[in-house]
Amino acid sequence: MTRDQDFAPGHGLGRGIAGLSLGWLLLVGAIPLARLLAEALGGTAVAAAFSDTAIWRAAWRSLALSLAAAALATLIGGALAWALLLRGLPGRRVLIFCAVLPALVPAQVMALGWIQAGGPASPLLLALGMAPPIGTPNPVYSPIGMALLLAAQSAPLVLLAVAALLRRVPGEVVLAARGLGASPEAALRRAVWPLLAPGLLAGAGLAYVAALGNFGVGALIGIPARFTVLPVLIWQRLSSGGTASLAEAAALALLLAAMAAPALVLQALAARRAPASGRLPFAPVALPRAGRLVVLGLVAAYLFIVLAVPMLALLAAALVPAMGMELTPASATLRHFLAAVAADAHTGRAFANSLLLSAGAALLLAAAALPIALTLRARPVRLAATAVDLPYALPGACTGVAAILVVLSLPGGGALYGTLGVILFAYLTRFQALALRPAAAAAARLDPLLEDAARGMGAGPWRRLWSIHLPPLAPALAAGGILVALTAVNEVTVSSLLYGPGTQTLGVLVFSLQESGQSPLAAAVSCLALLLSAALMAAATLAARRLPAGTLPWRP
């Protein structure tokens, strides 16, 4: 075997393609992380951060809030897994889809929906005659409200982690337990749940990191509640100090990464404890009819509270002329929706920016995922691929600060600061792992005989890449690209640190409108953003029909 063939998925695509994959991974993964570390540790920023009481206060608040949200999310996600994955309720696929949706709704949109669902000015509560007296504080504006909202958004991550592990649980364990006289519930409790414990641990780690880096909830709820968390503090310091505060921002991002590190280690340890697959797939154990109706009612009630209530409140807020007005047929208006789509409005530009950035990132990352997925057997490529896993696993504020530092290190990089280019670079850094996972899973199943045949006929590496590998991997590449677009189109954490005049994105626009007192317009923009997300989800579902279960989060 030649040295070119060391980069093979089967016999190899050659050193040239593997070298391009390696260079791309270093550019969007290793270099930003190295630049962040160098800036944070190269001066006195870390020492200054340790002596700043505001930073310690924000750090302790972030830690307490994230731990509380992760604990509650683990309880909710575990209960949903028991009801939807282990016991198999009627309409299971639809219920699983609905249970995953809270994680796919942008954080700032969900936060805005809950803000509009509480307090005396809520159009929905006014319409139902349930609004509290004027002057009553909105209960959402509190640390408890933040923890509950973060838990609701993170619970699907626990459910998905358990679902991924359940696909490897051998169905024989239930048969063996039942053969020894165990009841269905005892078989699940004693034979299945111990095997799923690593999934719960991994899900808890995911929920913790998601809550730790959440900017949308921290900004829209934490700022009015005077409960500042670290991602918001980084944004505030950069907003007030500009590039002069980059060293401090890098130190804060490094502190955020250090707080996330134990959860990443927990996920890695949980992955090592995954059970070996059996011959029989696990089959849900049916509930008795009476118990099935009770559990179904509880799951439906939970989904109604976490999905329908905030979305109905958001729609009601978008249809009233002003906050504090009751929604009636006479007061309902579409003027906020019309303002949101007006050609000369900031909203139209924000929509265009988000669509351009999300589509551009999706296309570039899907294209890059093809050669990377096919050369992952090469040790240099495989090691470099871990560098793109970290930006996706770590809180988004770390990626945002790293992108600023990389761009400003370039000759004339100051001119790029605040442009769409720097936001696009940050998206490439943050979401490459998301685009790579479906492609890597599909590439691992390719038959190496196809490449052997093409090599025997004299086809070169690029011809084999285009003619042999691209067609079977196209659905996975499309699914990964649409996942990137779906995540990036409403992203707020990274873009809140990087946007400048004329480069506002959808997520930033919702936050800005709410902060400036234009709540009905913010609600209308949020509703349109949800429609856009629904369209992307439908496109991803169509593209992924030939992919295995678990490729898309709402199809576990």
Side-chain angles (χ1 to χ4, degrees), residues 324-342:
M325 295 185 63
E326 180 181 348
L327 179 62
T328 65
S331 65
T333 177
L334 294 176
R335 73 182 190 189
H336 301 298
F337 286 100
L338 296 176
V341 298

Side-chain angles (χ1 to χ4, degrees), residues 5-423:
Q5 293 167 341
D6 289 339
F7 292 93
H11 281 297
L13 287 174
R15 298 178 65 188
I17 294 177
L20 286 176
S21 301
L22 180 61
W24 175 266
L25 292 171
L26 293 176
L27 174 64
V28 302
I31 291 177
L33 292 175
R35 187 67 186 87
L36 179 66
L37 283 172
E39 185 70 23
L41 302 177
T44 61
V46 172
F50 277 114
S51 61
D52 191 330
T53 56
I55 292 175
W56 280 113
R57 183 165 54 249
W60 283 115
R61 286 175 173 177
S62 292
L63 180 63
L65 184 65
S66 301
L67 288 174
L72 186 56
T74 303
L75 291 175
I76 297 172
L80 289 174
W82 177 85
L84 302 179
L85 302 177
L86 301 186
R87 303 311 301 253
L89 295 177
R92 177 169 171 260
R93 295 181 68 89
V94 175
L95 290 174
I96 291 175
F97 174 80
C98 293
V100 173
L101 273 182
L104 302 174
V105 175
Q108 68 276 9
V109 173
M110 185 68 81
L112 185 59
W114 277 109
I115 290 170
Q116 307 298 3
S122 169
L124 179 64
L125 294 183
L126 288 169
L128 296 175
M130 299 173 60
I134 295 177
T136 303
N138 191 332
V140 177
Y141 290 130
S142 65
I144 294 177
M146 295 173 68
L148 290 174
L149 177 52
L150 289 171
Q153 283 212 291
S154 302
L157 302 179
V158 180
L159 173 64
L160 293 173
V162 174
L165 199 60
L166 187 61
R167 285 192 291 272
R168 302 189 60 179
V169 170
E172 292 89 342
V173 298
V174 176
L175 296 177
R178 294 299 306 275
L180 292 172
S183 66
E185 188 59 39
L188 292 177
R189 185 175 65 254
R190 297 179 181 178
V192 177
W193 272 118
L195 299 178
L196 296 180
L200 284 175
L201 291 176
L206 288 169
Y208 169 78
V209 174
L212 185 66
N214 194 301
F215 176 83
V217 173
L220 284 174
I221 298 178
I223 292 177
R226 298 183 179 180
F227 194 83
T228 303
V229 291
L230 263 183
V232 174
L233 185 63
I234 294 174
W235 169 75
Q236 290 174 337
R237 296 291 172 91
L238 275 178
S239 299
S240 60
T243 55
S245 60
L246 273 176
E248 181 185 26
L252 295 182
L254 193 61
L255 175 59
L256 201 60
M259 293 171 64
L264 302 183
V265 173
L266 181 66
Q267 294 174 50
L269 293 176
R272 293 182 179 180
R273 296 178 55 192
S277 300
R279 294 184 178 180
L280 295 177
F282 175 83
V285 179
L287 278 165
R289 179 176 176 81
R292 186 164 60 243
L293 293 176
V294 172
V295 174
L296 183 61
L298 292 174
V299 171
Y302 168 78
L303 294 177
F304 180 82
I305 292 172
V306 299
L307 283 176
V309 170
M311 296 304 104
L312 289 174
L314 201 63
L315 181 60
L319 292 174
V320 295
M323 292 302 296
M325 295 185 63
E326 180 181 348
L327 179 62
T328 65
S331 65
T333 177
L334 294 176
R335 73 182 190 189
H336 301 298
F337 286 100
L338 296 176
V341 298
D344 58 343
H346 292 298
T347 51
R349 179 175 294 179
F351 266 93
N353 289 340
S354 288
L355 287 173
L356 178 64
L357 288 168
S358 59
L363 290 173
L364 288 172
L365 294 178
L370 175 61
I372 295 171
L374 293 169
T375 55
L376 276 176
R377 283 194 180 181
R379 181 175 297 177
V381 178
R382 187 168 62 252
L383 292 176
T386 60
V388 297
D389 288 334
L390 280 176
Y392 183 66
L394 291 173
C398 302
T399 304
V401 175
I404 297 174
L405 293 170
V406 171
V407 169
L408 292 181
S409 299
L410 301 174
L416 293 174
Y417 185 63
T419 65
L420 292 178
V422 69
I423 301 178

Side-chain angles (χ1 to χ4, degrees), residues 499-515:
Y499 81 96
T503 63
Q504 246 186 358
T505 61
L506 267 177
V508 174
L509 178 64
V510 170
F511 169 61
S512 301
L513 290 173
Q514 178 68 12
E515 286 296 290

Side-chain angles (χ1 to χ4, degrees), residues 407-473:
V407 169
L408 292 181
S409 299
L410 301 174
L416 293 174
Y417 185 63
T419 65
L420 292 178
V422 69
I423 301 178
L424 177 61
F425 175 71
Y427 283 4
L428 297 179
T429 297
R430 181 147 177 81
F431 300 125
Q432 178 64 83
L434 190 61
L436 180 58
R437 288 172 185 174
R445 296 189 301 273
L446 288 178
D447 188 347
L449 294 179
L450 293 175
E451 187 175 320
D452 291 344
R455 287 169 61 88
M457 297 179 66
W462 291 102
R463 178 67 181 274
R464 298 198 303 274
L465 184 72
W466 180 262
S467 302
I468 302 300
H469 298 302
L470 178 59
L473 294 182

